Amino acid sequence: MNKPVELIIFDWDGTLFDSVGQIVASLLFAAQQFQQSLTADAAKSIIGLGLPEVAQRLFPQAPELHSEILQCYADHYVANSKGDVWFAGVSDMLFDLKAQGLQLAVATGKSRKGLDRVLAQTQSQALFAATRAASETKSKPHPLMLEEILAETGVAAERAIMVGDTSYDLEMACNIAMPRVGVAYGVHSVDVLQQFNPLTVASDVSALHQFLRQQVQAAAAASIG
C-alpha cells in the first residue's frame, strides 16, 4: 500500500472472536433437531455468510424449515456461547491500532442482534467507528456493507484494509479494490485465502498485529516522504 491507512475493517467470528467451534456445534444441533443431514466441515465452510444464505447453502432441500432451523440455531448459540472470547492478543491489537489514530470497524455475517450482544459481551462498542451486520445490508461477498462503512467513516477504499478469515471477506474487499489481509487461524485455508491476492495471510493475532502496524507506519512514512 502506498496511501496512508485510515481505517481497518475486521470480520468478527474467526478473526477477532474465538467462536467458530460453537457456531459449528449449534448448526449441527439445529440440523439434528429437524432431521437434516449436516457435517461439521460443511457447517464450518459457510461461517461468514448471512443467516438466510447459510440456510440456503446448507439446507436447500428444506426451504420450509429454514426459519425454524435458524431460530433453533440462534437459541442454542446464545445459550452456549457465553464463554466465547476474543482470540489472545486481539484486545491489545485493537487498542494499539486505535491509539495510532486509526478508525476501526466491523463487517460481519452476524445479525445486528447477535453483533450487539457480542459487542456488549466484550465491552468493545466504543472501539469501533462503524459496524455492519448482514441482517441490515447485503451478505458477503457483496461489498455493500463495506461501501456503507466507507460512506459512514468518510474513508476511500484504497485507504482501508479488510481483515478476515474467509474467502467471503476477501472476495468482498476484492469487489471494490480494497486492500485485504487474511488470517490463517479461522475458517478457510491459506490456499483458499491466497486466491484473493491478500497483502498477507497472518498465522496468528501477533503476526496480524505486527503486519498492520508495519502497513500503517510504512504508508505514513511514504506519505511524509
Side-chain angles (χ1 to χ4, degrees):
M1 294 184 66
N2 55 11
K3 291 182 178 294
V5 180
E6 299 176 9
L7 170 68
I8 301 179
I9 306 171
F10 294 93
D11 169 58
W12 189 269
D13 294 305
T15 299
L16 297 180
F17 206 57
D18 189 5
S19 50
V20 169
Q22 187 55 56
I23 291 172
V24 170
S26 294
L27 284 169
L28 292 173
F29 175 84
Q32 184 179 39
Q33 302 315 297
F34 293 90
Q35 293 80 51
Q36 300 299 309
S37 176
L38 182 63
T39 66
D41 285 345
K44 186 177 181 181
S45 73
I46 53 71
I47 293 174
L49 296 176
L51 288 177
E53 289 73 23
V54 167
Q56 291 161 15
R57 292 276 190 101
L58 296 183
F59 312 109
Q61 72 283 2
E64 72 283 359
L65 294 176
H66 285 180
S67 61
E68 293 177 271
I69 291 173
L70 291 178
Q71 187 60 56
C72 182
Y73 157 77
D75 291 344
H76 188 272
Y77 181 79
V78 170
N80 292 277
S81 64
K82 294 179 176 61
D84 288 350
V85 295
W86 275 335
F87 288 105
V90 162
S91 180
D92 289 344
M93 175 181 69
L94 295 177
F95 278 99
D96 177 54
L97 294 172
K98 190 172 178 67
Q100 293 185 56
L102 290 168
Q103 294 191 76
L104 308 179
V106 171
T108 179
K110 284 187 172 301
S111 67
R112 170 48 65 180
K113 181 178 179 180
L115 177 58
D116 286 346
R117 183 176 55 79
V118 291
L119 287 171
Q121 184 174 327
T122 54
Q123 299 182 339
S124 59
Q125 300 96 321
L127 276 173
F128 301 107
T131 61
R132 282 297 183 281
S135 62
E136 60 195 2
T137 183
K138 289 186 179 294
S139 174
K140 303 170 185 179
H142 194 285
L144 183 59
M145 67 172 70
L146 293 185
E147 293 168 342
E148 291 174 347
I149 289 171
L150 294 175
E152 184 173 340
T153 57
V155 176
E158 64 269 22
R159 296 194 173 189
I161 298 175
M162 175 67 208
V163 181
D165 67 313
T166 72
S167 62
Y168 315 122
D169 299 313
L170 303 194
E171 183 180 355
M172 175 175 66
C174 273
N175 286 336
I176 55 171
M178 179 183 289
R180 50 217 165 264
V181 169
V183 301
Y185 52 82
V187 170
H188 287 166
S189 70
V190 173
D191 287 345
V192 169
L193 298 175
Q194 289 286 10
Q195 295 174 25
F196 298 92
N197 299 311
L199 299 174
T200 192
V201 177
S203 58
D204 54 28
V205 174
S206 177
L208 174 63
H209 186 180
Q210 182 178 12
F211 181 82
L212 292 175
R213 289 201 81 202
Q214 289 171 346
Q215 289 296 299
V216 172
Q217 292 165 359
S223 175
I224 292 170

